[in-house]
């Protein structure tokens, strides 16, 4: 009997373990799965003043579209053992004449067991060996670059390495315009990858996306969107509504990146702004909140961005407008202050190129988003040749951006260019996007918008905004009624005096006239 009792207790204990262990292990597995990939991005020079200027920044934005966290660092500041903290590392070499001299990096890279991608010249020996690379270095050449459906016939490339032989999968094709030289644009192996050159402003800016997609093992489908930015409360809202109508009639879904309002949210002008956005939303438009303009005179103010954003988002939600993300220059994601207060409310971002850096607390590691769009202007794609009349997807989520302005002719031309474009544009609300404040949870799924799980009726009529508004509360004044009565009495006395004076003037005129006739 005792043995049977022990067996029953052991059996019960095992059953309890089987029940408890899966439950306790799931959260940790989920947390591990949701943790973004962390990449170390090393560079030898930012190449300012050369054709490669801006390629490191473009690579940072490109990596963000694959939802990775990036730590940016120069080869010179690398310290021993840092490679071991990362499973994937990228090295950008922009200066062909000067090799990396940091002995700590050179020693660590030869022992590195993770995945390494090298861009440019002076590839480490481990990359050359594992990819079985044989390179032919050319200081300057005019090339034709082709990849996927795209090609650009004439690119002036400096410090270019042709790949003579290799192992691994190849991407794209580089062909010299001056000789019979040609080679793959990039090569990806099991552990190492190599890209011959990368510049901003030509097809290599797009081609690097195909290599990164393979190297990162990215399998999610990408989409292309239309974004109109630089929209303010004082913009021509009638023109914005007309633009929405024209895009709707053309069957083109679009996004507006709108500047927020952080005060006077109950003013009629603000309500008209929100009602216009609600109308845009009803015309197959989607709304993202652009970060506020940062000026040097206010960059150090201790404004609570979280609270300010929440107030504006809640005001939008109250009017039936459902923002789905944030629009920002890329440097915002490399600033601890901005990342911790403001950007954390969103899981989707449209990252624009940096125009003017206005950091408050700069860091070298980025904030990553589950969904991020790489912004390009349509003229970039217009300069390319392509094989098909319609292409659905680029290698990464892409935003074709236009600046909204009050020039009707320019906006008409923009719509026409979109009509004639070979790109198939996607509708942002068909993806899963969430914006969360303390009061509201706004999300999209399958083409529908929800505020606190309540489906938004996109056909809801706009509310008319009254011009009557008490901008300042009336202050009760002492003796106001008495003074009003007194003013009226004085007015009556003055009027009677004027009438009497007029009567005397007429009588006097007649008397004088009669005396003159006598």
């Amino acid at each position: 009997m005792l043995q049977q009792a022990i067996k029953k207790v052991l059996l019960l204990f095992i059953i309890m373990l089987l029940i408890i262990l899966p439950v306790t292990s799931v959260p940790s597995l989920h947390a591990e799965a949701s943790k973004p990939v962390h990449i170390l991005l090393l560079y030898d020079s930012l190449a300012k003043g050369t054709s490669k200027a801006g390629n490191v920044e473009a690579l940072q934005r490109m990596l963000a579209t694959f939802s990775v966290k990036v730590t940016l660092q120069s080869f010179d500041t690398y310290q021993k053992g840092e490679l071991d903290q990362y499973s994937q590392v990228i090295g950008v070499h922009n200066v062909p004449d000067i090799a990396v001299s940091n002995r700590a990096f050179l020693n660590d890279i030869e022992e590195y067991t993770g995945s390494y991608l090298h861009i440019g010249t002076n590839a480490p020996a481990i990359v050359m060996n594992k990819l079985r690379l044989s390179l032919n270095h050319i200081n300057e050449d005019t090339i034709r670059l082709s990849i996927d459906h795209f090609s650009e016939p004439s690119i002036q490339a400096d410090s270019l390495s042709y790949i003579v032989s290799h192992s691994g999968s190849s991407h794209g094709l580089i062909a010299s315009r001056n000789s019979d030289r040609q080679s793959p644009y990039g090569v990806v192996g099991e552990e190492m990858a190599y890209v011959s050159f990368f510049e901003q402003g030509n097809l290599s800016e797009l081609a690097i996306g195909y290599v990164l997609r393979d190297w990162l093992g990215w399998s999610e489908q990408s989409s292309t969107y239309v974004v109109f930015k630089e929209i303010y409360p004082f913009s021509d809202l009638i023109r914005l509504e007309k633009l929405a109508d024209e895009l709707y009639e053309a069957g083109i879904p679009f996004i507006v990146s709108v500047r927020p309002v952080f005060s006077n949210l109950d003013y009629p002008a603000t309500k008209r702004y929100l009602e216009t956005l609600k109308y845009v939303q009803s015309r197959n438009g989607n709304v993202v909140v652009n970060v506020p303009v940062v000026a040097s005179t206010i960059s150090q103010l201790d404004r609570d961005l979280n609270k300010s954003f929440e107030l504006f988002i809640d005001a939008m939600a109250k009017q039936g407008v459902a923002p789905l993300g944030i629009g920002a220059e890329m440097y915002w994601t490399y600033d601890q202050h901005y990342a911790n207060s403001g950007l954390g409310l969103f899981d989707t971002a449209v990252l624009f190129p940096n125009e003017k850096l206005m950091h408050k607390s700069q860091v070298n590691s980025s904030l990553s988003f589950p969904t991020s769009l790489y912004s390009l202007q349509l003229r970039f794609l217009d300069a390319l040749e392509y094989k098909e009349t319609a292409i659905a997807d680029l290698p990464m989520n892409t935003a074709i951006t236009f600046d909204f302005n009050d020039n009707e002719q320019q906006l008409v031309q923009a719509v026409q260019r979109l009509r004639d474009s070979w790109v198939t544009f996607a509708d942002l609300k068909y993806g899963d996007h969430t914006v969360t404040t303390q009061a509201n949870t706004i999300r999209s799924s399958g083409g529908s918008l929800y505020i606190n799980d309540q489906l938004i009726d996109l056909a809801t009529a706009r509310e008319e905004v009254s011009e009557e508004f008490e901008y300042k509360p009336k202050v009760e004044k002492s003796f106001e009624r008495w003074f009003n009565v007194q003013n009226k009495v004085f007015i009556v006395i003055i009027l009677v005096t004027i009438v009497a004076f007029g009567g005397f003037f007429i009588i006097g005129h007649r008397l004088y006239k009669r005396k003159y006739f006598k």
Side-chain angles (χ1 to χ4, degrees), residues 342-447:
L343 301 187
L345 303 175
F346 308 88
D347 69 356
T348 299
V350 183
L351 296 182
F352 305 115
N354 293 333
E355 294 184 5
K356 185 178 181 181
L357 299 180
M358 298 294 293
H359 282 287
K360 183 167 184 179
S361 180
Q362 184 177 4
V363 292
N364 66 342
S365 294
S366 67
L367 172 70
S368 65
F369 293 87
T371 303
S372 180
L373 311 186
Y374 187 83
S375 62
L376 289 173
Q377 293 187 336
L378 191 58
R379 65 171 177 265
F380 174 87
L381 298 177
D382 288 342
L384 307 180
E385 297 177 354
Y386 48 91
K387 299 177 182 178
E388 305 291 339
T389 55
I391 301 173
D393 301 319
L394 298 174
M396 65 288 182
N397 288 322
T398 307
I400 306 299
T401 63
F402 295 87
D403 285 347
F404 177 81
N405 55 56
D406 299 337
N407 189 316
E408 183 172 357
Q409 183 179 0
Q410 290 182 6
L411 292 175
V412 169
Q413 292 174 352
V415 174
Q416 188 58 48
R417 292 178 68 195
L418 292 172
R419 287 176 185 266
D420 299 337
S421 174
W422 45 263
V423 182
T424 301
F425 298 107
D427 192 338
L428 188 66
K429 61 179 171 286
Y430 277 86
D432 295 327
H433 311 281
T434 304
V435 178
T436 305
T437 69
Q438 293 184 3
N440 293 287
T441 298
I442 301 166
R443 65 182 180 88
S444 67
S445 180

Side-chain angles (χ1 to χ4, degrees), residues 223-229 231 240 243-244 247-248 251-259 273-274 276-290 316 320-327 348 350 352 373 425-433 435 442-450 456 458:
S223 300
T224 305
Y225 305 87
V226 176
V227 177
F228 285 87
K229 59 188 184 73
I231 298 174
L240 180 59
L243 173 65
L247 292 169
Y248 181 76
I252 301 173
F254 62 101
I255 301 169
V256 290
S257 185
V258 301
R259 296 287 184 176
Y273 184 43
L274 298 180
T276 299
L277 298 182
K278 184 164 71 172
Y279 180 77
V280 167
Q281 186 175 263
S282 72
R283 305 303 280 175
N284 217 17
N286 299 281
V287 179
V288 299
V289 180
N290 209 101
M316 297 175 81
V321 179
L324 299 180
I326 185 77
T348 299
V350 183
F352 305 115
L373 311 186
F425 298 107
D427 192 338
L428 188 66
K429 61 179 171 286
Y430 277 86
D432 295 327
H433 311 281
V435 178
I442 301 166
R443 65 182 180 88
S444 67
S445 180
S448 299
L449 300 174
Y450 301 88
I456 297 177
L458 297 179

Side-chain angles (χ1 to χ4, degrees), residues 262 292 303-310 332 337-338 341-342:
F262 288 159
R303 169 179 284 172
D304 189 342
L305 282 178
N306 254 351
K307 184 176 180 180
S308 298
F309 271 121
E310 286 192 349
W332 275 66
H337 174 74
Y338 298 141
S341 56

